[in-house]
Amino acid sequence: MKISEVHIWKEALGLKRPYTIAYKTVTHVENVIVKIVLENGLTGWGAANPSKYVVGEDVDDTLHWLTFQHQAYDLLTGKDIRPIGTLLNDIYTHSHLHAGALAALDIALHDAFCRLLGVPLVNWLGRVHDKWLTSVTIGILPVAETLAEAEALIGQGFRCLKIKLGHSPEEDVERLVKLRERWKDLPLRVDANQGYSEQDLLKVYTHIQKLNIELIEQPLPAASIPAFRQLPDEIKAKIALDESLIHPQDAYQLSLPPAAGGIFNIKLMKCGGIRQAMHIATIARQAGISLMWGCNDESIISITAALHAALACPHTRYVDLDGSFDLMKDVVSGGFHVQDGYLMPLLDRPGLGVDPLS
Ligand SMILES: [Mg+2]
């Protein structure tokens, strides 16, 4: 079954509300979209929105790499999709230094291939979970606004919050104390996006130790691996490595004893798609490290792909796949249901189960 067409373009998806994290404010969102068409008319969808700050590539770089001199078209057009392992090897050889480009192609190939087989992607990968609770993120806001935002999100049915920290340790503590006072049992996780020093972290931890915070994502700069390794075990067990973990090679290094954290935050936009994500997952499993699945501001396409990968890993413990909720528009519908904060893939649909909107 040959790939007859490859379409690649950039789509403005908008953003309902701007938000701030430790190192930037985001006001609008664009994704690169990849659509593969098989000779029988079946399609496969991929998307990418890599972070320049994290992987050195933005959507314009992704688009340029995929379309320059028709490289991606030439790589895939006319190829039989059934030996998908060979195609995934080929795109890795071509694009492994371009995480967004690799992710978009990888996701589109997996979707088209599983549609051809007639199975949901998660079942082909090896489903071990049917659904998972996702957190939704609150950017850095004054304390009162943080509480109001939490109230609104809980009112919308979400059951787990991720709070962005990293501008002011004192205010961060106040924010978390107030949230915990208001919601005694709500799962809370935090992400400082490299905004703390080691001293900040230790000080903040003494104040939030009793607040039942699920995890502390990337408190220290990405390169602070020796500092992460030396943290007290109690803190380290809650550390989710995000910006420090890009590729499977990082996963290997970070997992060497003493491991740098108890949790790996895998994002398809960092590692380059499903295949690389599963390599990271395998390393983590051998090292006894739990998985968190994160995202950027992404179309339903790549959010769904990450959800399918998450549900195929027995050591998945945290899902943070809220990246499509705040987009003004998307290029597809479907992908997953949201119920009481849980994300559920469409298990009666092949591939990712997404439908084009036009
Ligand atoms: Mg993060």
Side-chain angles (χ1 to χ4, degrees):
M1 179 59 62
K2 285 185 179 160
I3 296 169
S4 57
E5 297 169 35
V6 178
H7 302 272
I8 300 163
W9 71 97
K10 187 171 76 169
E11 189 86 26
L13 301 178
L15 190 64
K16 289 175 188 163
R17 299 159 301 170
Y19 66 89
T20 298
I21 64 172
Y23 58 84
K24 65 176 178 179
T25 294
V26 180
T27 56
H28 68 287
V29 173
E30 294 176 322
N31 278 199
V32 169
I33 308 294
V34 171
K35 177 187 173 189
I36 286 174
V37 184
L38 303 182
E39 58 186 340
N40 66 355
L42 284 176
T43 55
W45 292 81
N49 180 19
S51 164
K52 188 103 177 173
Y53 184 77
V54 179
V55 296
E57 177 185 351
D58 62 18
V59 284
D60 290 318
D61 300 323
T62 300
L63 185 69
H64 179 75
W65 178 253
L66 289 176
T67 56
F68 184 62
Q69 293 181 345
H70 299 276
Q71 290 184 65
Y73 305 98
D74 294 344
L75 196 63
L76 296 178
T77 306
K79 296 284 174 60
D80 186 352
I81 196 164
R82 292 174 304 170
I84 188 172
T86 304
L87 294 180
L88 293 171
N89 287 348
D90 290 346
I91 62 168
Y92 182 80
T93 302
H94 176 263
S95 296
H96 71 280
L97 297 177
H98 304 264
L102 181 60
L105 296 176
D106 168 284
I107 294 166
L109 284 171
H110 277 93
D111 186 29
F113 178 73
C114 287
R115 283 185 200 228
L116 181 63
L117 292 182
V119 298
L121 171 62
V122 66
N123 287 2
W124 182 71
L125 292 171
R127 176 164 52 98
V128 287
H129 310 291
D130 291 336
K131 60 180 183 179
W132 208 279
L133 187 69
T134 187
S135 46
V136 284
T137 301
I138 299 181
I140 298 177
L141 292 169
V143 176
E145 287 178 45
T146 302
L147 290 167
E149 177 87 8
E151 192 88 53
L153 289 167
I154 291 164
Q156 289 167 33
F158 293 109
R159 296 287 173 265
C160 178
L161 299 180
K162 182 168 111 172
I163 314 299
K164 290 288 190 179
L165 310 177
H167 277 179
S168 156
E170 292 74 23
E171 199 173 299
D172 289 343
V173 169
E174 188 191 347
R175 198 177 274 122
L176 295 172
V177 167
K178 292 273 170 55
L179 281 165
R180 185 48 86 212
E181 276 172 13
R182 174 73 181 77
W183 292 280
K184 301 275 183 285
D185 301 317
L186 185 75
L188 286 175
R189 43 188 79 159
V190 299
D191 185 357
N193 288 107
Q194 315 181 63
Y196 286 169
S197 66
E198 211 177 328
Q199 291 70 28
D200 291 335
L201 172 61
L202 295 172
K203 198 166 130 203
V204 167
Y205 189 76
T206 60
H207 291 98
I208 66 170
Q209 201 169 3
K210 301 276 190 280
L211 299 183
N212 193 20
I213 302 296
E214 281 188 329
L215 61 84
I216 304 167
E217 197 177 325
Q218 198 71 41
L220 309 179
S224 303
I225 309 305
F228 275 119
R229 290 193 200 282
Q230 287 162 20
L231 287 172
D233 287 346
E234 180 187 327
I235 301 180
K236 205 158 65 168
K238 287 180 182 282
I239 296 290
L241 296 160
D242 180 5
E243 289 91 337
S244 293
L245 170 77
I246 312 288
H247 306 291
Q249 305 91 291
D250 301 319
Y252 172 70
Q253 290 296 333
L254 294 167
S255 66
L256 292 174
I263 304 158
F264 283 171
N265 183 347
I266 301 179
K267 292 178 181 168
L268 303 190
M269 295 303 129
K270 290 188 296 178
C271 64
I274 296 157
R275 193 189 233 201
Q276 297 305 309
M278 298 313 267
H279 290 331
I280 294 175
T282 300
I283 293 165
R285 192 173 182 194
Q286 304 313 313
I289 291 169
S290 301
L291 300 183
M292 172 178 188
W293 295 81
C295 62
N296 296 342
D297 296 303
E298 299 167 40
S299 161
I300 288 169
I301 297 167
S302 48
I303 296 293
T304 304
L307 177 64
H308 281 236
L311 298 179
C313 292
H315 48 319
T316 290
R317 292 289 175 275
Y318 312 96
V319 163
D320 181 35
L321 295 175
D322 61 345
S324 63
F325 295 144
D326 280 337
L327 303 178
M328 295 288 285
K329 57 178 268 207
D330 210 316
V331 292
V332 299
S333 62
F336 56 85
H337 292 304
V338 190
Q339 194 172 25
D340 296 328
Y342 282 81
L343 303 184
M344 294 174 287
L346 307 182
L347 295 175
D348 57 343
R349 301 284 309 279
L352 297 173
V354 297
D355 295 308
L357 283 173
S358 57

